[in-house]
Amino acid sequence: MIITRATEYAIRALLYLARQPRGEIVYKKDICSHQNITPAFLTKILQPLIKEGIVGSQRGVGGGFYLRKDPAEVTLFDVVVAHEGPLYLNECLSDGDLCRRTLFCPVHGAWKEVRDEMTAILKRYNFALLAQQEMCNLEELKAGVNK
């Protein structure tokens, strides 16, 4: 499984929003220029997050986007599911009645364990943590350049 480009860019845009003061409207052009995303694509990729109540938008001259939730309350899992849909990994996990082998298939349990672990890891990474890590990474990079 490879996440789509839309999901990757949505994560980048959300990370940018997470670094701004809570509730502050960020101009579309600023997000686009800092994250190298076209304006039309930015609007498209943020729509699922707006629908989920993670991001808010304001139209008009002073319009833009803002986080509706605290960055600590939004995880990578939230963004992936908003864009990609539920994580099944295999069709046998999508509907209990779909696969007749579920009760005895040893691979079904393996798929379920992988999905559950992946879900747990994605839920562990919230955008407050990611924004803080990004700032640390940038400071280390800057310190390394100045040596």
Side-chain angles (χ1 to χ4, degrees):
M1 172 183 139
I2 296 178
I3 62 171
T4 62
R5 186 169 60 114
T7 302
E8 173 63 27
Y9 280 44
I11 290 168
R12 288 173 35 190
L14 204 56
L15 186 56
Y16 184 77
L17 290 173
R19 292 193 327 254
Q20 311 310 314
R22 175 102 189 269
E24 182 175 299
I25 296 171
V26 182
Y27 296 124
K28 180 191 279 191
K29 67 178 180 65
D30 292 338
I31 300 169
C32 292
S33 66
H34 284 92
Q35 297 303 316
N36 198 24
I37 304 170
T38 64
F41 195 48
L42 179 67
T43 300
K44 179 183 175 185
I45 64 175
L46 290 181
Q47 286 306 313
L49 301 177
I50 291 169
K51 183 180 175 186
E52 292 297 319
I54 296 169
V55 172
S57 66
Q58 182 169 322
R59 297 177 188 242
V61 177
F65 299 97
Y66 59 94
L67 275 179
R68 294 185 74 188
K69 293 185 174 182
D70 187 289
E73 297 174 4
V74 182
T75 66
L76 284 175
F77 178 79
D78 298 324
V79 180
V80 169
V81 170
H83 270 271
E84 309 284 340
L87 298 177
Y88 294 126
L89 295 184
N90 192 326
E91 285 189 33
C92 69
L93 296 176
S94 68
D95 184 0
D97 298 331
L98 184 64
C99 182
R100 295 181 190 159
R101 301 172 51 84
T102 299
L103 294 174
F104 63 88
C105 178
V107 182
H108 176 82
W111 286 129
K112 185 178 180 323
E113 184 178 351
V114 169
R115 183 210 43 208
D116 293 349
E117 289 293 321
M118 185 175 175
T119 296
I121 291 168
L122 290 171
K123 285 182 175 182
R124 195 165 46 221
Y125 288 93
N126 68 61
F127 279 85
L129 176 69
L130 292 169
Q132 180 183 22
Q133 185 61 54
E134 182 179 41
M135 294 307 294
C136 290
N137 291 349
L138 289 171
E139 286 176 17
E140 286 178 15
L141 193 64
K142 187 177 177 181
V145 170
N146 291 331
K147 285 185 178 181

